[in-house]
Amino acid sequence: MLRLTTIIPLLLVSLSFAEEDAPKLDTGDTAWLLVSSALVMLMTLPGLALFYGGMAKRKDTLNTIAMSFVAYCLASLVWFAYGYSLAFGEDIGGIIGSASKIFLSGVGVDSLQDTIPELLFVMFQLTFAAITVALVSGSLVERLKFSAWVIFVVLWVSLVYVPIAHWVWGGGFLAEDGALDFAGGTVVHINAGIAGLVGAIILGRRRDAVLLPNNLPLVVLGAGLLWFGWFGFNAGSAVGANGLAAVAMLNTNIATATAALAWMFTEWLHRKKPTVLGLASGVIAGLVSITPAAGFVNVFGAFIIGLTAGPICYFMVAKVKEKLGYDDALDVFGIHGVAGIIGAILTGVFADPSVNEAGKGLLYGNPGQVITQIWSVIVTVVYSGVMTAIILFVAKALTGLRVKEEEEITGLDRSQHGESAYNIS
């Protein structure tokens, strides 16, 4: 009897601790991630579709928009079938996740990821995979076969995005090394920027490589929608309705506004006129640069990151691309790749442990974090570049990559889809 009176209270106490430690659904966190998922979806459709579609030539508008649309659809199915499992399943050797959740096996209505339904986490991460591959299209527009793009999307999400997402966010080796990437500096933007650069080099230059937007209001509308959706992208990556989400949202806005103005004034001094296209491009440079740092730095760090990204990306697009001679049609590498690298490295400088105890940068006594950030950049650049080249050569063997010269002259709206964006009599 004495033993029972001792054991029973201990069991009750241990059960109470187990209940406290078990994950519990938080309705506030769930509501915020529902909104964030919708916001990130909005970034691809219609945000990126309009941003890219407005920058393309008039005869290629619909094809450019269609590339974002089909990328979102295909990435959704890849993610559901096996992408989520391989990215966020139980780690295997630091390289890939397990196949235990293929076709979302075992992920039910009551499954939780921290304080939100796991199905919602699946949806949130799906939108990241979709916009990442859609970003790549901006380097390849106006000369890539639509059939080749379909093949590329499936293979690239499967073989490039999924592994890198696991390395950084799914418990892989870069996470173990201590790499900081709050919302996708390496996983999304460096990854897409390098893929775009490699694709542009392999495809070769267009007959007319001049960037002459067919509809600047569409570009500005797309940029505005991207800025709006990016609050879900960055603040949603806190995976909760909390102070960290608030910091990430404010940092996103400050860095973006700073980079947009920095690009505008740099262009104004260099070319004597501040263009609307330049202002919109500066917005994107700011959004990209703060993405890896949004939940790690304070507002001053966000300001410096935006101030750095705006002018550097401007000169990358205005001068360096021309000197190097590659035809990155809509400047995916010059903005996403370069701003992503800037943001990733400066995260290692400005990460403030009072904002997020998971990150401590150079200014707070940890110079090794900069080395770790550079290492994560190098790994992403090498892997994305090599695998993108292989995938493009596979697509070339299956369908060919470039449209015929006469199809490029006619425009891809007519040659690939039999339609026109502007049916003006």
mmCIF file of all heavy atoms in Angstrom, residues 119-161:
data_model
loop_
_atom_site.group_PDB
_atom_site.id
_atom_site.type_symbol
_atom_site.label_atom_id
_atom_site.label_comp_id
_atom_site.label_asym_id
_atom_site.label_seq_id
_atom_site.Cartn_x
_atom_site.Cartn_y
_atom_site.Cartn_z
ATOM 1 N N LEU A 119 -0.629 19.678 -41.883
ATOM 2 C CA LEU A 119 -1.128 19.915 -43.244
ATOM 3 C C LEU A 119 -0.956 21.376 -43.646
ATOM 4 O O LEU A 119 -0.691 21.681 -44.816
ATOM 5 C CB LEU A 119 -2.601 19.511 -43.349
ATOM 6 C CG LEU A 119 -2.877 18.005 -43.325
ATOM 7 C CD1 LEU A 119 -4.372 17.747 -43.178
ATOM 8 C CD2 LEU A 119 -2.339 17.334 -44.592
ATOM 9 N N LEU A 120 -1.100 22.285 -42.696
ATOM 10 C CA LEU A 120 -0.891 23.703 -42.976
ATOM 11 C C LEU A 120 0.587 23.986 -43.217
ATOM 12 O O LEU A 120 0.948 24.782 -44.095
ATOM 13 C CB LEU A 120 -1.413 24.546 -41.811
ATOM 14 C CG LEU A 120 -1.206 26.061 -41.896
ATOM 15 C CD1 LEU A 120 -1.765 26.630 -43.190
ATOM 16 C CD2 LEU A 120 -1.851 26.740 -40.681
ATOM 17 N N PHE A 121 1.457 23.342 -42.451
ATOM 18 C CA PHE A 121 2.894 23.488 -42.681
ATOM 19 C C PHE A 121 3.271 22.977 -44.069
ATOM 20 O O PHE A 121 4.100 23.581 -44.759
ATOM 21 C CB PHE A 121 3.672 22.724 -41.608
ATOM 22 C CG PHE A 121 5.160 22.915 -41.681
ATOM 23 C CD1 PHE A 121 5.745 24.118 -41.337
ATOM 24 C CD2 PHE A 121 5.991 21.880 -42.106
ATOM 25 C CE1 PHE A 121 7.120 24.298 -41.405
ATOM 26 C CE2 PHE A 121 7.366 22.041 -42.177
ATOM 27 C CZ PHE A 121 7.935 23.262 -41.825
ATOM 28 N N VAL A 122 2.647 21.877 -44.484
ATOM 29 C CA VAL A 122 2.858 21.353 -45.845
ATOM 30 C C VAL A 122 2.486 22.416 -46.871
ATOM 31 O O VAL A 122 3.227 22.679 -47.823
ATOM 32 C CB VAL A 122 2.022 20.078 -46.078
ATOM 33 C CG1 VAL A 122 2.093 19.645 -47.543
ATOM 34 C CG2 VAL A 122 2.497 18.944 -45.179
ATOM 35 N N MET A 123 1.337 23.035 -46.680
ATOM 36 C CA MET A 123 0.859 24.045 -47.630
ATOM 37 C C MET A 123 1.780 25.262 -47.654
ATOM 38 O O MET A 123 2.126 25.783 -48.718
ATOM 39 C CB MET A 123 -0.564 24.476 -47.246
ATOM 40 C CG MET A 123 -1.151 25.531 -48.162
ATOM 41 S SD MET A 123 -1.373 24.934 -49.856
ATOM 42 C CE MET A 123 -1.492 26.489 -50.752
ATOM 43 N N PHE A 124 2.193 25.719 -46.473
ATOM 44 C CA PHE A 124 3.078 26.876 -46.395
ATOM 45 C C PHE A 124 4.379 26.612 -47.138
ATOM 46 O O PHE A 124 4.820 27.424 -47.965
ATOM 47 C CB PHE A 124 3.351 27.197 -44.923
ATOM 48 C CG PHE A 124 4.199 28.418 -44.692
ATOM 49 C CD1 PHE A 124 3.784 29.667 -45.107
ATOM 50 C CD2 PHE A 124 5.419 28.317 -44.026
ATOM 51 C CE1 PHE A 124 4.564 30.802 -44.879
ATOM 52 C CE2 PHE A 124 6.203 29.428 -43.789
ATOM 53 C CZ PHE A 124 5.780 30.680 -44.217
ATOM 54 N N GLN A 125 4.984 25.461 -46.904
ATOM 55 C CA GLN A 125 6.245 25.140 -47.562
ATOM 56 C C GLN A 125 6.056 24.862 -49.052
ATOM 57 O O GLN A 125 6.964 25.108 -49.855
ATOM 58 C CB GLN A 125 6.905 23.950 -46.874
ATOM 59 C CG GLN A 125 7.409 24.243 -45.463
ATOM 60 C CD GLN A 125 8.506 25.293 -45.443
ATOM 61 O OE1 GLN A 125 9.210 25.503 -46.428
ATOM 62 N NE2 GLN A 125 8.659 25.962 -44.315
ATOM 63 N N LEU A 126 4.902 24.378 -49.441
ATOM 64 C CA LEU A 126 4.604 24.175 -50.869
ATOM 65 C C LEU A 126 4.717 25.488 -51.637
ATOM 66 O O LEU A 126 5.280 25.531 -52.745
ATOM 67 C CB LEU A 126 3.195 23.604 -51.001
ATOM 68 C CG LEU A 126 2.605 23.311 -52.390
ATOM 69 C CD1 LEU A 126 1.477 22.289 -52.251
ATOM 70 C CD2 LEU A 126 2.053 24.554 -53.081
ATOM 71 N N THR A 127 4.192 26.553 -51.058
ATOM 72 C CA THR A 127 4.222 27.845 -51.762
ATOM 73 C C THR A 127 5.649 28.336 -51.962
ATOM 74 O O THR A 127 5.938 29.037 -52.937
ATOM 75 C CB THR A 127 3.397 28.900 -50.994
ATOM 76 O OG1 THR A 127 3.935 29.083 -49.679
ATOM 77 C CG2 THR A 127 1.938 28.484 -50.888
ATOM 78 N N PHE A 128 6.559 27.986 -51.052
ATOM 79 C CA PHE A 128 7.967 28.357 -51.205
ATOM 80 C C PHE A 128 8.600 27.602 -52.377
ATOM 81 O O PHE A 128 9.341 28.187 -53.179
ATOM 82 C CB PHE A 128 8.730 28.054 -49.917
ATOM 83 C CG PHE A 128 8.605 29.106 -48.859
ATOM 84 C CD1 PHE A 128 7.382 29.379 -48.276
ATOM 85 C CD2 PHE A 128 9.710 29.829 -48.453
ATOM 86 C CE1 PHE A 128 7.259 30.342 -47.294
ATOM 87 C CE2 PHE A 128 9.598 30.805 -47.474
ATOM 88 C CZ PHE A 128 8.364 31.069 -46.890
ATOM 89 N N ALA A 129 8.328 26.302 -52.451
ATOM 90 C CA ALA A 129 8.874 25.511 -53.557
ATOM 91 C C ALA A 129 8.390 26.047 -54.894
ATOM 92 O O ALA A 129 9.155 26.144 -55.863
ATOM 93 C CB ALA A 129 8.460 24.043 -53.389
ATOM 94 N N ALA A 130 7.118 26.434 -54.948
ATOM 95 C CA ALA A 130 6.534 26.898 -56.207
ATOM 96 C C ALA A 130 7.147 28.211 -56.676
ATOM 97 O O ALA A 130 7.508 28.363 -57.852
ATOM 98 C CB ALA A 130 5.022 27.035 -56.055
ATOM 99 N N ILE A 131 7.284 29.179 -55.764
ATOM 100 C CA ILE A 131 7.809 30.469 -56.224
ATOM 101 C C ILE A 131 9.289 30.374 -56.565
ATOM 102 O O ILE A 131 9.782 31.086 -57.449
ATOM 103 C CB ILE A 131 7.556 31.597 -55.204
ATOM 104 C CG1 ILE A 131 7.811 32.949 -55.899
ATOM 105 C CG2 ILE A 131 8.409 31.425 -53.955
ATOM 106 C CD1 ILE A 131 7.338 34.153 -55.145
ATOM 107 N N THR A 132 10.012 29.472 -55.908
ATOM 108 C CA THR A 132 11.448 29.367 -56.194
ATOM 109 C C THR A 132 11.684 28.951 -57.634
ATOM 110 O O THR A 132 12.473 29.581 -58.353
ATOM 111 C CB THR A 132 12.121 28.364 -55.244
ATOM 112 O OG1 THR A 132 11.859 28.741 -53.897
ATOM 113 C CG2 THR A 132 13.631 28.347 -55.462
ATOM 114 N N VAL A 133 11.017 27.914 -58.096
ATOM 115 C CA VAL A 133 11.227 27.481 -59.478
ATOM 116 C C VAL A 133 10.619 28.480 -60.453
ATOM 117 O O VAL A 133 11.159 28.703 -61.547
ATOM 118 C CB VAL A 133 10.679 26.056 -59.699
ATOM 119 C CG1 VAL A 133 9.158 26.021 -59.690
ATOM 120 C CG2 VAL A 133 11.216 25.466 -61.000
ATOM 121 N N ALA A 134 9.522 29.132 -60.079
ATOM 122 C CA ALA A 134 8.943 30.149 -60.955
ATOM 123 C C ALA A 134 9.902 31.315 -61.168
ATOM 124 O O ALA A 134 9.968 31.897 -62.260
ATOM 125 C CB ALA A 134 7.614 30.652 -60.383
ATOM 126 N N LEU A 135 10.670 31.665 -60.140
ATOM 127 C CA LEU A 135 11.651 32.748 -60.272
ATOM 128 C C LEU A 135 12.658 32.462 -61.379
ATOM 129 O O LEU A 135 13.080 33.372 -62.102
ATOM 130 C CB LEU A 135 12.399 32.946 -58.954
ATOM 131 C CG LEU A 135 11.648 33.612 -57.807
ATOM 132 C CD1 LEU A 135 12.452 33.522 -56.517
ATOM 133 C CD2 LEU A 135 11.324 35.062 -58.135
ATOM 134 N N VAL A 136 13.052 31.209 -61.525
ATOM 135 C CA VAL A 136 14.071 30.834 -62.515
ATOM 136 C C VAL A 136 13.627 31.214 -63.924
ATOM 137 O O VAL A 136 14.452 31.581 -64.776
ATOM 138 C CB VAL A 136 14.365 29.321 -62.444
ATOM 139 C CG1 VAL A 136 15.437 28.926 -63.466
ATOM 140 C CG2 VAL A 136 14.804 28.926 -61.040
ATOM 141 N N SER A 137 12.326 31.170 -64.167
ATOM 142 C CA SER A 137 11.817 31.417 -65.530
ATOM 143 C C SER A 137 12.220 32.780 -66.064
ATOM 144 O O SER A 137 12.369 32.965 -67.273
ATOM 145 C CB SER A 137 10.297 31.278 -65.563
ATOM 146 O OG SER A 137 9.660 32.334 -64.840
ATOM 147 N N GLY A 138 12.411 33.754 -65.179
ATOM 148 C CA GLY A 138 12.753 35.098 -65.640
ATOM 149 C C GLY A 138 14.054 35.165 -66.421
ATOM 150 O O GLY A 138 14.238 36.063 -67.257
ATOM 151 N N SER A 139 14.970 34.242 -66.187
ATOM 152 C CA SER A 139 16.226 34.213 -66.943
ATOM 153 C C SER A 139 16.069 33.567 -68.307
ATOM 154 O O SER A 139 16.919 33.759 -69.185
ATOM 155 C CB SER A 139 17.288 33.429 -66.153
ATOM 156 O OG SER A 139 17.626 34.081 -64.967
ATOM 157 N N LEU A 140 15.014 32.786 -68.486
ATOM 158 C CA LEU A 140 14.902 31.904 -69.651
ATOM 159 C C LEU A 140 13.841 32.329 -70.644
ATOM 160 O O LEU A 140 13.711 31.700 -71.700
ATOM 161 C CB LEU A 140 14.582 30.476 -69.166
ATOM 162 C CG LEU A 140 15.391 29.960 -67.967
ATOM 163 C CD1 LEU A 140 14.907 28.567 -67.574
ATOM 164 C CD2 LEU A 140 16.876 29.940 -68.276
ATOM 165 N N VAL A 141 13.087 33.379 -70.334
ATOM 166 C CA VAL A 141 11.934 33.744 -71.162
ATOM 167 C C VAL A 141 12.361 34.165 -72.569
ATOM 168 O O VAL A 141 13.511 34.494 -72.817
ATOM 169 C CB VAL A 141 11.114 34.873 -70.509
ATOM 170 C CG1 VAL A 141 10.518 34.407 -69.181
ATOM 171 C CG2 VAL A 141 11.963 36.128 -70.315
ATOM 172 N N GLU A 142 11.392 34.107 -73.460
ATOM 173 C CA GLU A 142 11.487 34.598 -74.833
ATOM 174 C C GLU A 142 12.277 33.700 -75.766
ATOM 175 O O GLU A 142 12.495 34.050 -76.915
ATOM 176 C CB GLU A 142 12.028 36.037 -74.876
ATOM 177 C CG GLU A 142 11.152 37.014 -74.095
ATOM 178 C CD GLU A 142 11.624 38.450 -74.184
ATOM 179 O OE1 GLU A 142 12.677 38.711 -74.804
ATOM 180 O OE2 GLU A 142 10.927 39.322 -73.634
ATOM 181 N N ARG A 143 12.726 32.513 -75.260
ATOM 182 C CA ARG A 143 13.384 31.584 -76.195
ATOM 183 C C ARG A 143 13.317 30.127 -75.763
ATOM 184 O O ARG A 143 13.778 29.238 -76.467
ATOM 185 C CB ARG A 143 14.842 31.985 -76.450
ATOM 186 C CG ARG A 143 15.858 31.689 -75.329
ATOM 187 C CD ARG A 143 15.988 32.821 -74.404
ATOM 188 N NE ARG A 143 17.334 32.928 -73.813
ATOM 189 C CZ ARG A 143 17.563 33.563 -72.678
ATOM 190 N NH1 ARG A 143 16.584 34.122 -71.997
ATOM 191 N NH2 ARG A 143 18.802 33.660 -72.206
ATOM 192 N N LEU A 144 12.724 29.823 -74.599
ATOM 193 C CA LEU A 144 12.658 28.447 -74.114
ATOM 194 C C LEU A 144 11.354 27.782 -74.538
ATOM 195 O O LEU A 144 10.278 28.367 -74.402
ATOM 196 C CB LEU A 144 12.751 28.431 -72.586
ATOM 197 C CG LEU A 144 12.706 27.048 -71.922
ATOM 198 C CD1 LEU A 144 13.983 26.268 -72.222
ATOM 199 C CD2 LEU A 144 12.495 27.189 -70.411
ATOM 200 N N LYS A 145 11.440 26.541 -75.025
ATOM 201 C CA LYS A 145 10.240 25.781 -75.350
ATOM 202 C C LYS A 145 9.404 25.557 -74.098
ATOM 203 O O LYS A 145 9.932 25.237 -73.031
ATOM 204 C CB LYS A 145 10.612 24.416 -75.942
ATOM 205 C CG LYS A 145 11.119 24.440 -77.361
ATOM 206 C CD LYS A 145 11.345 23.014 -77.847
ATOM 207 C CE LYS A 145 11.764 22.984 -79.305
ATOM 208 N NZ LYS A 145 11.969 21.588 -79.783
ATOM 209 N N PHE A 146 8.105 25.662 -74.238
ATOM 210 C CA PHE A 146 7.228 25.454 -73.089
ATOM 211 C C PHE A 146 7.303 24.005 -72.601
ATOM 212 O O PHE A 146 7.257 23.741 -71.400
ATOM 213 C CB PHE A 146 5.783 25.823 -73.452
ATOM 214 C CG PHE A 146 4.893 25.995 -72.257
ATOM 215 C CD1 PHE A 146 5.080 27.041 -71.367
ATOM 216 C CD2 PHE A 146 3.852 25.101 -72.021
ATOM 217 C CE1 PHE A 146 4.259 27.206 -70.260
ATOM 218 C CE2 PHE A 146 3.027 25.254 -70.913
ATOM 219 C CZ PHE A 146 3.230 26.309 -70.033
ATOM 220 N N SER A 147 7.443 23.072 -73.525
ATOM 221 C CA SER A 147 7.567 21.659 -73.148
ATOM 222 C C SER A 147 8.833 21.426 -72.325
ATOM 223 O O SER A 147 8.831 20.655 -71.358
ATOM 224 C CB SER A 147 7.583 20.769 -74.393
ATOM 225 O OG SER A 147 8.624 21.161 -75.281
ATOM 226 N N ALA A 148 9.919 22.101 -72.690
ATOM 227 C CA ALA A 148 11.165 21.973 -71.928
ATOM 228 C C ALA A 148 11.005 22.558 -70.531
ATOM 229 O O ALA A 148 11.555 22.032 -69.555
ATOM 230 C CB ALA A 148 12.306 22.664 -72.673
ATOM 231 N N TRP A 149 10.241 23.638 -70.434
ATOM 232 C CA TRP A 149 9.999 24.253 -69.132
ATOM 233 C C TRP A 149 9.231 23.303 -68.209
ATOM 234 O O TRP A 149 9.545 23.178 -67.025
ATOM 235 C CB TRP A 149 9.241 25.563 -69.288
ATOM 236 C CG TRP A 149 8.834 26.212 -68.000
ATOM 237 C CD1 TRP A 149 7.569 26.448 -67.558
ATOM 238 C CD2 TRP A 149 9.702 26.723 -66.970
ATOM 239 N NE1 TRP A 149 7.573 27.066 -66.336
ATOM 240 C CE2 TRP A 149 8.876 27.253 -65.953
ATOM 241 C CE3 TRP A 149 11.083 26.789 -66.824
ATOM 242 C CZ2 TRP A 149 9.398 27.830 -64.801
ATOM 243 C CZ3 TRP A 149 11.612 27.368 -65.667
ATOM 244 C CH2 TRP A 149 10.774 27.871 -64.676
ATOM 245 N N VAL A 150 8.239 22.612 -68.733
ATOM 246 C CA VAL A 150 7.468 21.657 -67.932
ATOM 247 C C VAL A 150 8.379 20.568 -67.361
ATOM 248 O O VAL A 150 8.322 20.234 -66.171
ATOM 249 C CB VAL A 150 6.335 21.038 -68.779
ATOM 250 C CG1 VAL A 150 5.690 19.863 -68.054
ATOM 251 C CG2 VAL A 150 5.285 22.097 -69.113
ATOM 252 N N ILE A 151 9.247 20.023 -68.200
ATOM 253 C CA ILE A 151 10.197 18.997 -67.745
ATOM 254 C C ILE A 151 11.149 19.575 -66.709
ATOM 255 O O ILE A 151 11.424 18.968 -65.664
ATOM 256 C CB ILE A 151 10.978 18.425 -68.944
ATOM 257 C CG1 ILE A 151 10.040 17.639 -69.867
ATOM 258 C CG2 ILE A 151 12.136 17.532 -68.479
ATOM 259 C CD1 ILE A 151 10.655 17.284 -71.198
ATOM 260 N N PHE A 152 11.653 20.772 -66.988
ATOM 261 C CA PHE A 152 12.602 21.419 -66.082
ATOM 262 C C PHE A 152 11.992 21.613 -64.697
ATOM 263 O O PHE A 152 12.643 21.332 -63.681
ATOM 264 C CB PHE A 152 13.025 22.773 -66.657
ATOM 265 C CG PHE A 152 13.951 23.551 -65.764
ATOM 266 C CD1 PHE A 152 15.316 23.334 -65.797
ATOM 267 C CD2 PHE A 152 13.451 24.503 -64.869
ATOM 268 C CE1 PHE A 152 16.178 24.045 -64.964
ATOM 269 C CE2 PHE A 152 14.296 25.211 -64.031
ATOM 270 C CZ PHE A 152 15.668 24.975 -64.080
ATOM 271 N N VAL A 153 10.758 22.090 -64.629
ATOM 272 C CA VAL A 153 10.129 22.367 -63.340
ATOM 273 C C VAL A 153 10.073 21.120 -62.475
ATOM 274 O O VAL A 153 10.463 21.131 -61.293
ATOM 275 C CB VAL A 153 8.714 22.951 -63.535
ATOM 276 C CG1 VAL A 153 7.957 22.988 -62.205
ATOM 277 C CG2 VAL A 153 8.786 24.359 -64.120
ATOM 278 N N VAL A 154 9.601 20.024 -63.044
ATOM 279 C CA VAL A 154 9.457 18.782 -62.270
ATOM 280 C C VAL A 154 10.816 18.301 -61.778
ATOM 281 O O VAL A 154 10.983 17.959 -60.597
ATOM 282 C CB VAL A 154 8.764 17.700 -63.118
ATOM 283 C CG1 VAL A 154 8.756 16.363 -62.376
ATOM 284 C CG2 VAL A 154 7.347 18.123 -63.475
ATOM 285 N N LEU A 155 11.805 18.263 -62.664
ATOM 286 C CA LEU A 155 13.123 17.757 -62.280
ATOM 287 C C LEU A 155 13.837 18.706 -61.317
ATOM 288 O O LEU A 155 14.497 18.263 -60.373
ATOM 289 C CB LEU A 155 13.979 17.533 -63.532
ATOM 290 C CG LEU A 155 13.513 16.422 -64.478
ATOM 291 C CD1 LEU A 155 14.435 16.334 -65.690
ATOM 292 C CD2 LEU A 155 13.451 15.080 -63.756
ATOM 293 N N TRP A 156 13.700 20.001 -61.533
ATOM 294 C CA TRP A 156 14.431 20.959 -60.706
ATOM 295 C C TRP A 156 13.887 21.004 -59.285
ATOM 296 O O TRP A 156 14.655 21.031 -58.314
ATOM 297 C CB TRP A 156 14.393 22.349 -61.338
ATOM 298 C CG TRP A 156 15.410 23.299 -60.781
ATOM 299 C CD1 TRP A 156 16.711 23.443 -61.167
ATOM 300 C CD2 TRP A 156 15.213 24.228 -59.703
ATOM 301 N NE1 TRP A 156 17.331 24.410 -60.407
ATOM 302 C CE2 TRP A 156 16.439 24.906 -59.508
ATOM 303 C CE3 TRP A 156 14.119 24.561 -58.910
ATOM 304 C CZ2 TRP A 156 16.597 25.898 -58.540
ATOM 305 C CZ3 TRP A 156 14.279 25.541 -57.929
ATOM 306 C CH2 TRP A 156 15.505 26.198 -57.753
ATOM 307 N N VAL A 157 12.568 21.022 -59.137
ATOM 308 C CA VAL A 157 11.993 20.992 -57.788
ATOM 309 C C VAL A 157 12.420 19.714 -57.069
ATOM 310 O O VAL A 157 12.789 19.730 -55.893
ATOM 311 C CB VAL A 157 10.455 21.100 -57.843
ATOM 312 C CG1 VAL A 157 9.854 20.878 -56.452
ATOM 313 C CG2 VAL A 157 10.031 22.460 -58.371
ATOM 314 N N SER A 158 12.413 18.592 -57.807
ATOM 315 C CA SER A 158 12.726 17.290 -57.206
ATOM 316 C C SER A 158 14.187 17.159 -56.821
ATOM 317 O O SER A 158 14.518 16.658 -55.735
ATOM 318 C CB SER A 158 12.364 16.161 -58.185
ATOM 319 O OG SER A 158 11.018 16.227 -58.571
ATOM 320 N N LEU A 159 15.075 17.597 -57.709
ATOM 321 C CA LEU A 159 16.506 17.301 -57.547
ATOM 322 C C LEU A 159 17.334 18.461 -57.024
ATOM 323 O O LEU A 159 18.475 18.265 -56.596
ATOM 324 C CB LEU A 159 17.083 16.839 -58.892
ATOM 325 C CG LEU A 159 16.427 15.588 -59.499
ATOM 326 C CD1 LEU A 159 17.009 15.292 -60.871
ATOM 327 C CD2 LEU A 159 16.576 14.396 -58.565
ATOM 328 N N VAL A 160 16.801 19.663 -57.069
ATOM 329 C CA VAL A 160 17.558 20.835 -56.598
ATOM 330 C C VAL A 160 16.885 21.465 -55.381
ATOM 331 O O VAL A 160 17.479 21.564 -54.306
ATOM 332 C CB VAL A 160 17.740 21.878 -57.721
ATOM 333 C CG1 VAL A 160 18.563 23.064 -57.211
ATOM 334 C CG2 VAL A 160 18.415 21.247 -58.927
ATOM 335 N N TYR A 161 15.638 21.883 -55.533
ATOM 336 C CA TYR A 161 14.988 22.583 -54.421
ATOM 337 C C TYR A 161 14.836 21.687 -53.200
ATOM 338 O O TYR A 161 15.177 22.084 -52.072
ATOM 339 C CB TYR A 161 13.611 23.120 -54.829
ATOM 340 C CG TYR A 161 12.957 23.869 -53.683
ATOM 341 C CD1 TYR A 161 13.264 25.204 -53.443
ATOM 342 C CD2 TYR A 161 12.087 23.228 -52.799
ATOM 343 C CE1 TYR A 161 12.723 25.880 -52.361
ATOM 344 C CE2 TYR A 161 11.547 23.896 -51.714
ATOM 345 C CZ TYR A 161 11.864 25.213 -51.503
ATOM 346 O OH TYR A 161 11.346 25.874 -50.422
#
